[in-house]
Amino acid sequence: MSKSFAVASGADAFVEPSEETRPDFKELKTIEKQRREILLRAELPFWRILMFWSGTCLREIVSDSLVWTTIIIFTGIRIFANVVDYVPESVELLQKTNVGILGGFLSFFLVLFVNQTNGRFLEMYGFSKACSGRIQDVAGLAKTQLPIEIADRLVRHFNAAHIAGYVGLNAIGQGSPYSKTYFFDHYNEEAKLLTPAEMKELSRHDMDHSGLCMKELVTWCQQDVTDARLAGHIDTYQEKFFHEKILDFRAAMDGMYDYTDQPPHFFYIHFLVLLSALYLPLFAIDTAYAGGWGAEKAIGLDILQGIIVFLQCIFVVGLRSLGTKMIDPYGDDLEDLSVINYVEGTLEICATIMGAKQPANKEVSGVTTGLL
């Protein structure tokens, strides 16, 4: 979930990211490169995985105040235990408590939370790949069934709708790092997607704060198909097939918008944060008091218990952070989806499809017999 370009003032205030606060195209490409590198780490040996810092839970853990508060509580109690020579009465009382029950409930809810957000993440990944797939489908159909001028216009409009859709995500949820100036305009200039007249027609919509540009461009694609049918280039059956692919694209893009607009309930997230904030200090106190007093205390045991407390912090804070990061996969975190890769891959494939040239079909002696 993107945080670096969203600025909040006060506990309940949220300031929508402006174009100036969002990364330019060079910064987006740098983030994208790091994302692709992180994806390749998954199959590395365990010792090499442990050597990384970026894209890991360590950054979240060391910057979380709850982790340090928990460790300080444990350390303070153990220092006190090693200074005094008597056993406080509170030690016997704490032996009757059972913090483990709370830990069991918290573990269940944390794992459930991560499972739910992971499901959202994979669904949204599926929507992104479906958008790319439908564009490729239409490009293939247009190349083989339409005159080159009409096919080129249809594919240009469709790719423009794809890119505009990602820019429009800035209007909802946590915002988007992809802006019209630094994202859409770059690809529009590079791939010559829309003419100046077409850009002027779309200017009545605020692409940075609305998904309406994407919606209109999709309608343009449908109009292109209808015009091709009216001109006699395709029949009604072929037209229907084109429309189905275009509307499937719009449905996938709408799915991305729907999920982004409705994250997991804040009530649920607050519940998890509250449980974590209560459980970890209690776990630190319980573990520290069980570390030995008087003649039973030992430095080695203190170190071992301290490691256990730190591991519990990694488990609780790590799972909570993992689930939170997967809520919005269209931000600027290194763990988010590779939007630039999807856009550039789709443009490259469409260019290949539209430029495909089959060699002349000449009869070659023996070919048919050989195939049979």
Side-chain angles (χ1 to χ4, degrees):
M1 180 171 56
S2 179
K3 303 178 186 69
S4 63
F5 58 88
V7 181
S9 176
D12 297 319
F14 175 77
V15 179
E16 187 176 296
S18 66
E19 186 176 286
E20 291 73 20
T21 62
R22 283 181 283 171
D24 59 26
F25 188 76
K26 184 178 179 180
E27 293 171 322
L28 289 173
K29 288 289 286 186
T30 301
I31 295 171
E32 186 75 7
K33 182 180 178 181
Q34 293 175 316
R35 285 175 181 165
R36 304 310 295 177
E37 291 174 350
I38 289 174
L39 290 177
L40 299 177
R41 299 176 185 173
E43 296 184 4
L44 292 176
F46 82 95
W47 60 271
R48 288 193 60 188
I49 291 177
L50 293 176
M51 301 297 291
F52 290 106
W53 173 260
S54 62
T56 69
C57 65
L58 297 177
R59 180 175 295 179
E60 297 295 322
I61 290 170
V62 299
S63 62
D64 195 294
S65 59
L66 180 59
V67 173
W68 292 108
T69 301
T70 302
I71 293 175
I72 289 172
I73 291 173
F74 172 82
T75 304
I77 294 175
R78 291 316 303 161
I79 290 174
F80 177 74
N82 281 274
V83 170
V84 301
D85 294 327
Y86 62 91
V87 180
E89 296 180 1
S90 56
V91 174
E92 185 177 350
L93 295 175
L94 284 172
Q95 289 177 350
K96 299 177 182 180
T97 62
N98 192 350
V99 180
I101 295 178
L102 178 59
F105 279 111
L106 178 59
S107 299
F108 170 77
F109 286 117
L110 282 172
V111 172
L112 180 63
F113 175 57
V114 171
N115 185 60
Q116 290 174 338
T117 54
N118 183 62
R120 280 173 51 92
F121 187 92
L122 294 178
E123 283 279 348
M124 296 171 86
Y125 168 74
F127 289 141
S128 289
K129 298 303 289 185
C131 288
S132 177
R134 299 300 74 74
I135 295 173
Q136 296 173 45
D137 292 343
V138 168
L141 293 169
K143 170 66 177 179
T144 56
Q145 298 179 12
L146 298 176
I148 187 62
E149 297 82 6
I150 299 176
D152 179 70
R153 184 172 69 247
L154 172 58
V155 174
R156 286 192 297 103
H157 290 167
F158 216 177
N159 276 289
H162 187 208
I163 301 170
Y166 285 115
V167 174
L169 286 171
N170 185 57
I172 55 179
Q174 296 291 328
S176 166
Y178 308 105
S179 64
K180 176 183 180 295
T181 301
Y182 298 129
F183 191 66
F184 182 88
D185 288 349
H186 172 85
Y187 287 113
N188 185 46
E189 181 180 354
E190 184 180 83
K192 303 294 187 289
L193 300 176
L194 298 178
T195 65
E198 290 170 334
M199 287 296 297
K200 183 178 180 180
E201 182 66 25
L202 288 174
S203 62
R204 65 179 184 276
H205 302 302
D206 186 356
M207 188 183 297
D208 281 308
H209 301 92
S210 171
L212 295 179
C213 274
M214 179 269 294
K215 297 286 189 180
E216 179 158 341
L217 284 165
V218 169
T219 305
W220 287 9
C221 294
Q222 292 185 275
Q223 289 174 338
D224 291 337
V225 172
T226 300
D227 291 343
R229 193 258 303 167
L230 293 174
H233 300 302
I234 56 175
D235 58 28
T236 55
Y237 178 79
Q238 292 169 305
E239 179 190 20
K240 180 175 180 292
F241 199 62
F242 270 104
H243 284 307
E244 286 177 353
K245 296 295 183 180
I246 294 171
L247 293 178
D248 285 345
F249 166 87
R250 191 174 69 182
M253 190 65 73
D254 285 344
M256 292 161 49
Y257 276 70
D258 292 342
Y259 271 97
T260 303
D261 189 50
Q262 181 57 61
H265 293 294
F266 174 73
F267 186 97
Y268 187 24
I269 295 175
H270 181 271
F271 170 69
L272 292 176
V273 171
L274 179 62
L275 280 181
S276 302
L278 293 175
Y279 169 71
L280 284 179
L282 286 176
F283 180 80
I285 294 171
D286 185 66
T287 305
Y289 270 86
W293 294 79
E296 297 180 355
K297 60 191 177 186
I299 297 297
L301 182 60
D302 288 344
I303 295 174
L304 179 61
Q305 295 283 62
I307 293 174
I308 292 174
V309 170
F310 182 63
L311 287 176
Q312 193 73 341
C313 290
I314 293 177
F315 176 78
V316 173
V317 176
L319 279 179
R320 192 192 70 206
S321 299
L322 174 61
T324 304
K325 279 184 172 292
M326 291 190 292
I327 290 176
D328 178 21
Y330 298 112
D332 63 352
D333 288 331
L334 296 180
E335 298 78 18
D336 290 333
L337 293 176
S338 303
V339 171
I340 290 181
N341 182 65
Y342 307 152
V343 169
E344 293 185 350
T346 305
L347 287 171
E348 183 179 4
I349 293 171
C350 286
T352 301
I353 292 173
M354 299 305 293
K357 293 182 180 179
Q358 189 176 21
N361 185 19
K362 295 182 180 179
E363 232 179 274
V364 180
S365 177
V367 171
T368 302
T369 306
L371 289 173
L372 292 175

